[in-house]
Each structure stands twice: as structure tokens, then as C-alpha cells.
Amino acid sequence: MTQRQTLTTSALKSGACLIASATPQDRATFLNSLTDDQIAALPYLFTFWAMPHQLPPEGDWRTWVIMGGRGAGKTRAGAEWVRGMAEGVTPRAAGRARRIAIVGETFDQAREVMIFGDSGIMAVSPASQRPKWIAGRKQLQWPNGAVAQVCSAHDPESLRGPQFDALWADELAKWAHGHDSWDMLQFALRLGEHPQACVTTTPRNVDVLKDLLARDSTVMTHAPTEANAANLAKGFIDEVQAKYGGTRLGRQELEGKLLADVAGALWTPQLLADAQSDQAPHGMRVVVAVDPAVSSHSKSDACGIIVAGALTDGPVSTWRAFVIEDATVQGATPSEWAAVAVEAFERHSADKIVAEVNQGGGLVESVIRQISDLIPFKALHASKGKARRAEPVAALYEQGRVQHLRGLGQLEDQMCAMTTSGFQGKGSPDRVDALVWALHELMIAPSLKAQGRPQVRGLGR
């Protein structure tokens, strides 16, 4: 960008803000009034075109984490941040940073995505300030003397020695040696008056990212994939939402949410990702399982309500179950959650409602009977702990015998927090409890009966 282009940026932005809502004729008049230099500068005014999550937050921060879904514009934001640090107001004027580290999971990924990618540094830089790529030295060199060293996070020891005043780290949550590599880079980020780092990453539940986000010197911006829909291929959003929308994997990869994984969990994100199904078959035996809440105020445990079905023709090993709906309600009175359970029963043409009655005694059946006295109801009694009841159900998933329809994200979050030692999430695993009762009634109890074995005490009688 030339000096003339730079000096007109403020006026150009002001005019563009006004013209965006003008008539087509007024917009054409405005564009025709611009000089060739001003028109050439338009694509490079990132502060105008950027979405909010792509702009650095204000304040005295050391690390800015841009966390988002796939295609949310993270790479473009990182490349523009580097450009903003390296460039001066003219091609030869000094910028804020002179020594920059550009670090990817591997060197090849850093070069192909961060440097030469469609949203990489070379693509977003105007010709007058575009850096030169020095392949032999793995460096970018700007006309004003700023230098960026391209590094790989794969070998933490290779990051010893260099020093920088700015750092762009891409996909930190995927780094094989995340903590070690990040620690080495922190030692290297020691030049200038206020060295800063920009981290662009899709979230994963890894310690290096969680520790970084917990620091007072870290700021974070976030966006889902849909935020950048205008710049993605036509149909991409619909395609990935159809396949991953409403799943735990979709919340991580599309919504850009950091989901907690728990060591020793009975269910893992991958196990649940493998269990996804687009539709349930016809002809299933369907039950609505209820795990009633003890109280009904807004902060009380939820009343878990899960609808599931199963095909149980043929040998036991061929039986398959499908979790159809999570109708769980929070803070509902007994009559309210009973109404929800009955509505789910009728909506899915279920065979029966099953419910744990340890805490509610005869209340559960009585409130359901107040709504409909014709619904088949089965009371279930628990004598074992939640984790022990859940273990045989988790085994069904490991055998690939249970599938989930989409939209069960909150249930899946609870499942991934249930361990052999108990539930490690917040509150009570109401949704998981209802799931366990449903699948026990559909799969475990009938299989024990088919094999001539007594039901396992504590799972239901």
C-alpha cells in the first residue's frame, strides 16, 4: 500500500460505512469517485472487512486466542495480525514487530497454510508490502526489514535459541508436544517492549489450551463455522450440518466449543461420534425412561427423560438400539415433567414409560396416571451406584450396538463425564441415568431373560 493509499484509509472507511446501506445508484457513484489507488487498497482494509472475532481485542494482553469452528476465518485473522505487526505505514517504515515466529504443527503445514494458503500471509498482503519467501532459510522478509521465521512445533528442542517480539501459532490444540513446544516459545518471546502472541485453533480438550485460556494475560475471541458462511463454498454449511449438526463432534468442529473430556470416562467423544445415525428404523420397541428430580426449583436437578427404541428380533448379538430423543426438563414440577414424558410417549408411539422410583416412591406413577391412566408403566429400583449401572450400557456402545440420532449433545456431554468412579460433571447425571434405564429395559434385561439368566440386581426388577 502506498503512502497516498494509507492517508486516505480513514476517509475511505467512513465512506464505505455510509455507502453499505445506500441505493445501488449511490453505491456506483461512490465507487466511481475513488482513485485507482483507493480502489486497489479496498481489499486490504481488513479492519473494515473483518468480522468481530477476527480483530484483536483491546487491552494489555500477551496472548490472543482465536478459537472457532472449521472455516470460521481463523487463518485469515492470524495472517492479517502478522501483517499488522510487520507492516509500517509505508513499505519501508518500521512496523510494531521486527522478529516474528510463525509456528505450525509441522513445517509443511506452516508453509502451505500459514504462508501460501488461500488465507495465508502471501495472499492477504498488498504487492507493495508483500514479503519475500526465502526457502533455504525458512523465512519471510518484508521490505522494511521485518523477518518471520517459520518453525515446526513437532520438535520442541528446535525452538531453543531464537528470540522474537511476535508469535503466530496455528492449531495449538493439535500439537503433538503442545506443552513442551509452547513453553519453549514463551522463553523465546522476549524482544521489544510488549511481545505478543496470536493463537488460531479449533478447540480440543488438551491441557496446553486449557492452561493458556486460564491465564489472566490471555484474551479470547470465538466464532462458529457459520459466522464465515459468506466466504465458504456453496452448500458446505448445509452438508456438514446435515452430517455433524447436533453431535458432540459438531459442537467442537463446527461451533468451536471447548468440550471437557474426563480421564477414565465410560464413553469417549470418538465412541459417540461413531454411534451417530441419520434416522431410526421402523418397527422398534420404544420406551420413554424417566429419572425424576427430587425438587422442582430452578436450580434443582433436571428430570431426565430419554426416548429410545430397539430391534430385538433374532439372536441377541444382532440386537440394536437407537437413542431417539432427549426430552429432559429443568426446574419442572412433577405434573410438568410427567406431561412432557406422556407427550414423548404419544409422539413416538412408545410401548411403555419406565422410571426409577427409589426417591419418588409411588409419586412417579401417580402423577403420570393423573395425565393418562392407560399408559403402560414400569417402576425400576436401583440398589447399585450410577457408575456400576452404567457400565453394561457402555459395553453395548463399545460393541457398536447402540446408535444416536442427532440433537443429543447435552446427553453426550454427561456421558463423557461418567467414569468408573462416578460422575465427574456438574450436578447430577439425570440424562445418563434415564438413558441407562431405557437401554437396560430394551436391551440388557431382555437379553438376560433370553439367555435364562437372572437380571442383575440393582439395575431393575
Side-chain angles (χ1 to χ4, degrees):
M1 187 181 299
T2 67
Q3 186 173 16
R4 182 182 177 187
Q5 289 172 315
T6 303
L7 292 174
T8 59
T9 295
S10 177
L12 188 58
K13 286 184 64 178
S14 298
C17 289
L18 293 173
I19 206 68
S21 58
T23 65
Q25 182 177 355
D26 288 339
R27 287 199 295 268
T29 300
F30 169 76
L31 292 173
N32 290 333
S33 72
L34 299 179
T35 67
D36 290 343
D37 283 348
Q38 290 171 338
I39 292 175
L42 277 174
Y44 302 103
L45 297 178
F46 190 65
T47 53
F48 173 73
W49 300 112
M51 293 175 284
H53 72 279
Q54 294 178 306
L55 295 175
E58 297 181 357
D60 187 24
W61 50 266
R62 179 176 173 85
T63 306
W64 169 30
V65 177
I66 308 171
M67 197 161 66
R70 300 283 188 93
K74 303 184 297 295
T75 302
R76 175 68 184 270
E80 292 283 3
W81 180 79
V82 169
R83 179 187 157 207
M85 296 293 283
E87 291 180 5
V89 295
T90 64
R92 298 292 176 179
R96 291 179 54 198
R98 301 288 290 175
R99 301 277 291 277
I100 305 169
I102 297 176
V103 187
E105 183 181 9
T106 65
F107 171 74
D108 286 347
Q109 289 179 359
R111 180 188 60 203
E112 297 305 316
V113 176
M114 303 170 78
I115 306 300
F116 291 105
D118 290 341
S119 299
I121 293 171
M122 301 298 274
V124 304
S125 298
S128 61
Q129 300 208 36
R130 187 170 297 140
K132 291 183 179 180
W133 171 243
I134 312 300
R137 304 187 66 179
K138 300 179 181 178
Q139 283 186 351
L140 286 175
Q141 295 182 0
W142 275 264
N144 64 2
V147 174
Q149 187 69 48
V150 182
C151 308
S152 168
H154 189 71
D155 181 10
E157 291 302 311
S158 68
L159 301 173
R160 289 182 179 272
Q163 53 184 356
F164 310 101
D165 52 9
L167 158 68
W168 175 23
D170 189 45
E171 294 297 356
L172 173 67
K174 288 179 59 183
W175 291 2
H177 309 287
H179 252 309
D180 292 340
S181 295
W182 184 253
D183 287 345
M184 289 297 101
L185 288 168
Q186 296 313 290
F187 288 122
L189 196 60
R190 57 180 185 260
L191 295 180
E193 295 182 0
H194 186 44
Q196 292 181 309
C198 175
V199 175
T200 51
T201 190
T202 303
R204 287 190 179 185
N205 188 42
V206 293
D207 288 342
V208 63
L209 180 57
K210 291 188 294 184
D211 291 348
L212 179 58
L213 291 172
R215 295 178 187 172
D216 292 337
S217 59
T218 299
V219 294
M220 190 265 285
T221 58
H222 166 267
T225 300
E226 287 188 355
N228 197 34
N231 296 311
L232 300 174
K234 184 179 180 180
F236 171 76
I237 296 293
D238 291 340
E239 184 70 20
V240 294
Q241 284 290 357
K243 187 171 184 180
Y244 301 108
T247 70
R248 185 176 174 86
L249 183 63
R251 290 199 313 285
Q252 174 179 286
E253 301 295 325
L254 299 179
E255 297 178 28
K257 293 184 177 180
L258 182 59
L259 305 177
D261 299 335
V262 178
L266 295 175
W267 290 273
T268 66
Q270 188 59 55
L271 187 66
L272 295 177
D274 292 341
Q276 298 302 312
S277 178
D278 290 326
Q279 60 183 5
H282 297 291
M284 295 189 299
R285 186 166 68 95
V286 177
V287 300
V288 177
V290 179
D291 180 65
V294 178
S295 56
S296 59
H297 56 82
S298 60
K299 295 184 179 180
S300 66
D301 293 335
C303 174
I305 303 175
I306 297 296
V307 183
L311 293 173
T312 54
D313 295 331
V316 170
S317 61
T318 66
W319 292 3
R320 295 292 181 269
F322 293 80
V323 184
I324 303 169
E325 182 185 353
D326 178 0
T328 297
V329 289
Q330 180 80 46
T333 64
S335 60
E336 289 171 339
W337 58 249
V340 172
V342 170
E343 288 171 2
F345 174 91
E346 294 173 345
R347 185 166 56 252
H348 295 284
S349 302
D351 294 85
K352 70 175 70 171
I353 292 178
V354 300
E356 179 184 345
V357 297
N358 286 46
Q359 300 185 65
L363 169 68
V364 180
E365 182 174 5
S366 67
V367 294
I368 288 176
R369 295 289 181 221
Q370 290 173 15
I371 298 172
S372 174
D373 58 1
L374 299 177
I375 290 178
F377 176 86
K378 181 175 182 180
L380 301 173
H381 303 262
S383 60
K384 292 185 177 181
K386 298 177 186 292
R388 292 193 62 187
R389 294 200 305 268
E391 286 178 357
V393 174
L396 294 174
Y397 283 79
E398 293 176 353
Q399 296 164 2
R401 297 173 61 190
V402 183
Q403 292 185 283
H404 281 200
L405 299 193
R406 307 196 185 280
L408 302 174
Q410 291 179 293
L411 167 64
E412 292 170 354
D413 284 346
Q414 282 196 357
M415 294 170 72
C416 290
M418 178 64 77
T419 75
T420 54
S421 301
F423 184 60
Q424 302 301 313
K426 295 181 180 179
S428 177
D430 321 280
R431 302 168 195 270
V432 176
D433 284 346
L435 170 80
V436 168
W437 291 123
L439 294 182
H440 174 268
E441 178 65 21
L442 289 167
M443 297 284 282
I444 295 174
S447 69
L448 293 175
K449 183 177 180 180
Q451 297 171 43
R453 297 164 56 192
Q455 293 189 32
V456 178
R457 180 175 175 80
L459 283 176
R461 64 177 184 268

